[in-house]
Amino acid sequence: MTRFQRFPTAPARLVLAWRAAALVAAALIIGLLLALSGRNVFELAVLVLKSTIGSRFGLEDLALFMTPLILTGSAVTVTSRIGLWNIGGEGQFYLGAIGAAGVGLYMPGSPIVVLPVMAVTAMLCGVAWIAVPTLARAYAGVNEIITTLLLNFVAGLLTYWLATGPWRDRVTGALASTGRIHVAIPEFWGVVHWGFPIALLVAGGLAAIMTWTSWGYEVRISGANPGAARYAGMPTRARIIAVMLLSGALAALAGMFEVAGTVHRLQGGMADNFGYLGIVVAVLARRSCLAVIPAALLMALILDAAIVLQTRQLAATVVLAITGLVLLLIAIGDELAHYRPVTPAVRLPPSAPVATPKVTT
Amino acid sequence: MIALLTGLLSTAVLAGGVLSLAAIGEVLAERVGVTDLGVEGLMSLGAATAIVTVMAVPDPWAGLLAALAVGALGGAVFAFAAVVMRANQVLCGLAITFLGLGLSATIGHSVAGMPAPVTFAPVRIPVLGSLPVIGPAFFAQNLLVVPVYLLLPAFFHWLLFHTRHGLNMRAVGENPAAADAAGIPVVAMRFCYVVVGAALAGAAGAYLSLAVIPSWSEGMVSGRGWIAVALVIFAGYRPFNAAAAGLLFGLITAIGFLGQARGWPIAAPVLNMLPYLGTLAFIILPVVLWKRMRRVMAAPAALGVPYYRSVR
């Protein structure tokens, strides 16, 4: 009898196969729902392809979406290497934006000086924002999922308050926004700024650190088997603290890029779910720092497609529903990849007479 | 002074009901060993469904019923993925949150910003309603307040701690392998209580959109679901504590409202941070200050761990 048995590891080809199946299933469900609401699915699909990968404009948009997604995705990936979840990318993104905007608005000087100061300030703000959840996790074992998440709402309100209150635009009187920041990350290809290649380099650098340095090795072991790591004399607590602070800095850098490269001001609601979508990117990347790049590309494609759907009278938040569906199906697919058919080596001939023990009294 | 206190407590009871209801639901799911992080999305779905329903059928109970049903449906999707298929619970919960937030905006798109035609109006309960302070706060509110703070917690406390069925539930959350060996249907038990908890989260959404803020707008849940999940930890996975914790956070919200109404020199967004910062303080401080708390209020041992019978 062949039966399916769960194995502790999932081979990469099975994971890929199940994920492809999950994505196809998601596309079918979305297509079915769109068809049920009376839309021409085929025409929509062509339109989506044309306006994402079929045009220069679409490709530029993809790169712009990918930049923050790679960084917030990396932020979640590094914590997942040590077995933790940083769900607070959204908040750290806001703090990075706040730090960058604060420097950009009030520090005069040439971009060569101001931009690095903006980046460093942003990352320090992100580190400060994740510090309390980090220390609570490392020293008191407080669940980091909830603590990092709650701070997202505080960060969103803080941004809104700064953009409408002390830092509001006094020149044009724009609502919920600061004035334009005088420095910007230069663009190199259409509207794509240098933040994109830097984000790619960051992802590559993280992969190198995790794979080839003893620090990365200790992080990976601390995540895979904390008991063994402690027994081997690895400073697991120090690694947890370092990894979480690094994660905060990465998400904050995404906020700095968004302020200095794309939006050029601080706005309420500007994080646009990039922090939360970073979680999806990290899940798609399966804890590999390098796989964050293709995962961010897929996520950017979904975001880009959603913008096209938006022009066809669909609510803006439909992208969240699509992301949720994809995430749910991929979570199921990843679990199914653990199952493989096994056939017991020893087989009884099906017609063999079963010896029944005689009960003698 | 009495008037101020009564007003503050009344607002707290009204606003805290949302958190209490959702937190009680989450207590059930977590007691059987499943972390349901989809509460935020389920609440949002419940809130939108309730408003759309009362637009068609002008009866708040119809809205509540629809929200319960939608919550249960969302919970069944989550439980199918996380309990039956045993996929990662954190991921499935986040997926349900995304799905719920996205779908609720689509469902409620046509009614966004419109006032609810019917709401759960305050009803004064005779005798009890004329008690000082407590009377107006608990017994002269809408008809959901007494069930949320007294009847539901009492029922679930009795179920969890005074029945054999409750003992089985807790066994499933603490040691599913032992429970399985004792003949308790682990998967069915988990599925069932995840769905009940999710239905309560949907009901919390209806309570929000029909009693607290009588309308639907995108993002109106604004983290209340996540606060409810956090309160379960603070409440030590006990129904009465969960209801009390909801009330406490209602009080923090009420203080923020009071500050805005009285024109305190603090900006409104800063006052709105209070519930989130309060939740943060309340889940970190007790553990830091009182080490014994970790044992007394410990989470079910198998919380968040999928159960495989074949694992030996």
Side-chain angles (χ1 to χ4, degrees):
Chain A
M1 262 305 281
T2 307
R3 63 194 179 94
F4 283 89
Q5 190 182 330
R6 189 180 193 277
F7 286 79
T9 56
R13 65 186 163 78
L14 272 182
V15 171
L16 280 178
W18 277 112
R19 285 184 165 196
L23 286 177
V24 169
L28 284 178
I29 292 173
I30 295 160
L32 193 69
L33 288 178
L34 287 174
L36 284 178
S37 67
R39 290 177 175 85
N40 186 341
V41 179
F42 183 73
E43 180 221 12
L44 266 180
V46 172
L47 185 69
V48 164
L49 282 181
K50 257 192 197 156
S51 49
T52 51
I53 46 176
S55 67
R56 157 101 194 231
F57 189 71
L59 287 175
E60 287 177 13
D61 257 6
L62 276 184
L64 277 189
F65 276 135
M66 274 179 77
T67 309
L69 286 173
I70 289 172
L71 289 170
T72 53
S74 301
V76 182
T77 298
V78 292
T79 52
S80 75
R81 289 320 294 254
I82 205 158
L84 301 176
W85 285 100
N86 170 18
I87 310 288
E90 192 88 350
Q92 293 132 25
F93 183 108
Y94 272 126
L95 260 286
I98 290 173
V103 172
L105 286 171
Y106 297 107
M107 184 178 160
S110 78
I112 296 179
V113 184
V114 177
L115 282 173
V117 176
M118 277 170 88
V120 171
T121 315
M123 289 198 278
L124 287 178
C125 286
V127 166
W129 203 245
I130 203 176
V132 169
T134 302
L135 297 177
R137 171 77 227 187
Y139 289 98
V142 176
N143 184 326
E144 78 288 349
I145 297 181
I146 312 271
T147 49
T148 50
L149 190 123
L150 284 170
L151 284 172
N152 289 348
F153 297 98
V154 181
L157 286 166
L158 185 65
T159 309
Y160 182 77
W161 174 63
L162 285 171
T164 55
W167 291 0
R168 74 173 176 277
D169 187 356
R170 284 160 216 275
V171 184
T172 62
L175 278 175
S177 162
T178 65
R180 195 182 162 89
I181 291 165
H182 68 95
V183 291
I185 303 176
E187 287 150 0
F188 69 97
W189 187 63
V191 291
V192 183
H193 55 79
W194 280 100
F196 179 61
I198 295 175
L200 292 177
L201 280 180
V202 167
L206 285 172
I209 291 173
M210 284 293 173
T211 318
W212 291 320
T213 68
S214 60
W215 187 87
Y217 174 73
E218 288 179 4
V219 165
R220 283 185 284 133
I221 299 299
S222 303
N225 191 340
R230 258 193 306 278
Y231 186 68
M234 293 178 190
T236 49
R237 183 177 281 168
R239 294 296 170 268
I240 285 177
I241 294 173
V243 163
M244 284 188 74
L245 296 183
L246 172 68
S247 171
L250 286 169
L253 191 61
M256 182 266 171
F257 282 176
E258 203 65 4
V259 160
T262 320
V263 186
H264 303 297
R265 47 176 62 75
L266 188 69
Q267 271 175 357
M270 66 174 289
D272 234 353
N273 292 327
F274 279 128
Y276 294 113
L277 296 177
I279 303 163
V280 184
V281 170
V283 170
L284 290 170
R286 275 181 78 84
R287 308 208 276 168
S288 150
C289 291
L290 218 50
V292 161
I293 296 168
L297 175 65
L298 179 66
M299 197 61 239
L301 273 171
I302 294 177
L303 283 177
D304 226 4
I307 289 182
V308 178
L309 294 180
Q310 236 168 288
T311 61
R312 295 300 165 104
Q313 281 79 48
L314 278 165
T317 40
V318 84
V319 63
L320 266 186
I322 294 176
T323 312
L325 183 67
V326 169
L327 188 59
L328 188 72
L329 291 174
I330 284 196
I332 294 176
D334 278 6
E335 176 59 29
L336 286 175
H338 284 276
Y339 287 84
R340 266 173 275 165
V342 283
T343 313
V346 184
R347 258 198 229 187
L348 289 173
S351 58
V354 179
T356 43
K358 286 224 169 74
V359 181
T360 49
T361 46
Chain B
M1 188 59 208
I2 291 290
L4 176 74
L5 206 65
T6 311
L8 205 61
L9 195 61
S10 299
T11 317
V13 167
L14 185 65
V18 183
L19 299 175
S20 298
L21 205 49
I24 292 168
E26 185 68 12
V27 165
L28 295 178
E30 298 204 0
R31 272 289 176 184
V32 292
V34 182
T35 315
D36 181 1
L37 293 184
V39 180
E40 177 89 0
L42 295 167
M43 271 172 83
S44 190
L45 265 182
T49 314
I51 287 288
V52 171
T53 311
V54 295
M55 289 282 179
V57 187
D59 182 354
W61 296 100
L64 180 69
L65 212 62
L68 272 169
V70 163
L73 189 69
V77 172
F78 171 77
F80 171 75
V83 177
V84 178
M85 304 303 291
R86 301 182 182 90
N88 186 319
Q89 291 178 7
V90 173
L91 294 187
C92 293
L94 288 171
I96 292 292
T97 289
F98 289 158
L99 259 177
L101 290 176
L103 286 181
S104 59
T106 314
I107 293 171
H109 193 61
S110 55
V111 294
M114 289 187 210
V118 285
T119 56
F120 282 106
V123 176
R124 195 180 183 82
I125 297 169
V127 188
L128 289 174
S130 44
L131 290 171
V133 187
I134 300 171
F138 282 97
F139 302 110
Q141 299 250 26
N142 64 69
L143 281 176
L144 292 179
V145 160
V146 173
V148 165
Y149 286 104
L150 295 175
L151 305 184
L152 275 181
F155 173 73
F156 285 121
H157 180 85
W158 170 78
L159 183 74
L160 270 172
F161 299 108
H162 296 282
T163 65
R164 177 173 290 271
H165 183 73
L167 188 64
N168 289 351
M169 281 172 73
R170 287 183 286 139
V172 167
E174 297 290 347
N175 191 339
D180 196 15
I184 302 166
V186 173
V187 170
M189 199 78 135
R190 286 190 166 177
F191 194 97
C192 171
Y193 283 100
V194 166
V195 169
V196 172
L200 288 179
Y207 181 105
L208 178 67
S209 69
L210 292 178
V212 184
I213 311 167
S215 71
W216 159 258
S217 60
E218 217 183 295
M220 72 184 288
V221 178
S222 63
R224 285 184 176 87
W226 293 109
I227 293 184
V229 175
L231 289 187
V232 174
I233 302 172
F234 174 54
Y237 310 86
R238 287 159 172 79
F240 264 116
N241 291 5
L247 181 60
L248 184 66
F249 282 84
L251 199 62
I252 294 180
T253 316
I255 290 171
F257 285 156
L258 186 76
Q260 282 176 43
R262 300 220 152 182
W264 289 354
I266 306 169
V270 178
L271 283 174
N272 288 342
M273 291 175 192
L274 280 176
Y276 309 107
L277 291 175
T279 312
L280 198 64
F282 275 100
I283 54 176
I284 293 178
L285 290 181
V287 190
V288 175
L289 297 179
W290 189 34
K291 291 270 157 64
R292 238 190 82 215
M293 180 103 169
R294 285 191 215 180
R295 254 185 305 130
V296 178
M297 304 293 232
L303 183 61
V305 184
Y307 172 61
Y308 305 98
R309 182 178 271 176
S310 60
V311 170
R312 280 178 283 261

